[in-house]
């Protein structure tokens, strides 16, 4: 029987020499891989009391939405700056080669709500750290952060050390 890791395509030397790119499209394109990824991420929520799932554009949508649907929870999208039509708050964060900004609707998280953040990958942790700040600025409490994959060599988990973080697949490198 295949494991979820068997569905992830590893592409050496992309986007640059020495990097192994972990491609999730091969997981999504296989019905068994897709089901397994959603099921295993959802299992990491067993016993967790929460009110809402938050996911960043775009791969957080892919994994967060079906889990929210399965568990009968609302889903809140985090989008790149300028993509949400309502009143928003934003957070700028550092990328490897610059900065980026993300936004959330001001009315999407209510004071005291328990929030789960779901995304495909944790690398340096910068995007998710920015999301935790947005959630907390709106009065929410981040009770769990779940990733499909983790690149342990980039130490993103350290940046999120004050939160409960889980990942389904872990790779020791970058």
């Amino acid at each position: 029987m295949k494991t979820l890791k068997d569905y992830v395509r590893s592409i050496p030397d992309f986007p640059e020499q020495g990097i192994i790119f972990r491609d999730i499209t091969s997981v999504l394109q296989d019905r068994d891989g897709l089901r397994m990824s959603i099921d295993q991420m959802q299992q990491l929520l067993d016993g967790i009391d929460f009110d809402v799932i938050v996911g960043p554009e775009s791969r957080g949508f892919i994994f967060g939405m079906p889990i929210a649907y399965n568990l009968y929870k609302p889903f809140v999208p985090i989008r790149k700056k300028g993509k949400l039509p309502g009143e928003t708050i934003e957070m700028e964060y550092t990328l490897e080669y610059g900065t980026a900004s993300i936004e959330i609707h001001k009315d999407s998280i209510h004071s005291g709500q328990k929030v789960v953040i779901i995304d495909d990958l944790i690398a340096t942790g910068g995007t998710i750290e920015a999301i935790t700040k947005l959630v907390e600025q709106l009065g929410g409490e981040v009770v769990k952060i779940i990733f499909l994959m983790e690149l342990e060599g980039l130490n993103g988990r350290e940046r999120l050390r004050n939160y409960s973080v889980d990942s389904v697949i872990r790779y020791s490198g970058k």
Side-chain angles (χ1 to χ4, degrees):
M1 181 170 190
K2 288 175 99 172
T3 68
L4 188 51
K5 208 172 197 178
D6 295 328
Y7 291 99
V8 178
R9 180 177 23 202
S10 297
I11 302 169
D13 301 321
F14 182 83
E16 60 187 53
Q17 189 73 25
I19 300 293
I20 300 174
F21 185 81
R22 307 299 180 174
D23 183 17
I24 66 158
T25 60
S26 53
V27 174
L28 302 175
Q29 293 169 354
D30 185 283
R31 66 182 184 189
D32 293 327
L34 176 60
R35 180 177 296 276
M36 192 180 294
S37 65
I38 298 298
D39 288 350
Q40 288 184 24
M41 291 175 82
Q42 186 172 312
Q43 285 171 1
L44 295 174
L45 289 172
D46 286 351
I48 304 295
D49 177 33
F50 69 99
D51 302 303
V52 61
I53 293 178
V54 168
E57 182 176 357
S58 65
R59 293 174 307 250
F61 294 9
I62 292 170
F63 295 104
M65 279 293 302
I67 295 170
Y69 176 84
N70 288 344
L71 298 178
Y72 200 62
K73 301 287 184 176
F75 179 82
V76 173
I78 304 288
R79 303 268 339 246
K80 294 173 185 163
K81 185 176 179 173
K83 299 290 184 180
L84 291 172
E87 194 175 351
T88 63
I89 59 170
E90 75 175 88
M91 184 67 55
E92 187 174 279
Y93 61 100
T94 304
L95 298 168
E96 189 175 354
Y97 302 108
T99 61
S101 291
I102 53 173
E103 294 181 323
I104 187 172
H105 278 130
K106 277 187 173 181
D107 62 356
S108 60
I109 303 290
H110 306 290
S111 185
Q113 279 191 311
K114 295 176 182 177
V115 177
V116 169
I117 301 170
I118 295 180
D119 202 5
D120 70 321
L121 175 73
I122 180 172
T124 65
T127 304
I128 301 301
E129 180 183 43
I131 292 170
T132 64
K133 290 176 181 178
L134 287 173
V135 167
E136 291 166 355
Q137 190 174 334
L138 292 175
E141 175 191 359
V142 176
V143 295
K144 190 75 169 177
I145 304 172
I146 295 175
F147 301 98
L148 178 64
M149 297 185 295
E150 179 175 352
L151 303 178
E152 293 175 319
L154 293 174
N155 300 316
R157 189 180 283 257
E158 176 60 26
R159 209 172 196 169
L160 303 172
R161 67 184 168 278
N162 295 325
Y163 302 96
S164 175
V165 177
D166 270 316
S167 53
V168 176
I169 302 170
R170 293 186 178 139
Y171 293 100
S172 59
K174 297 179 180 179

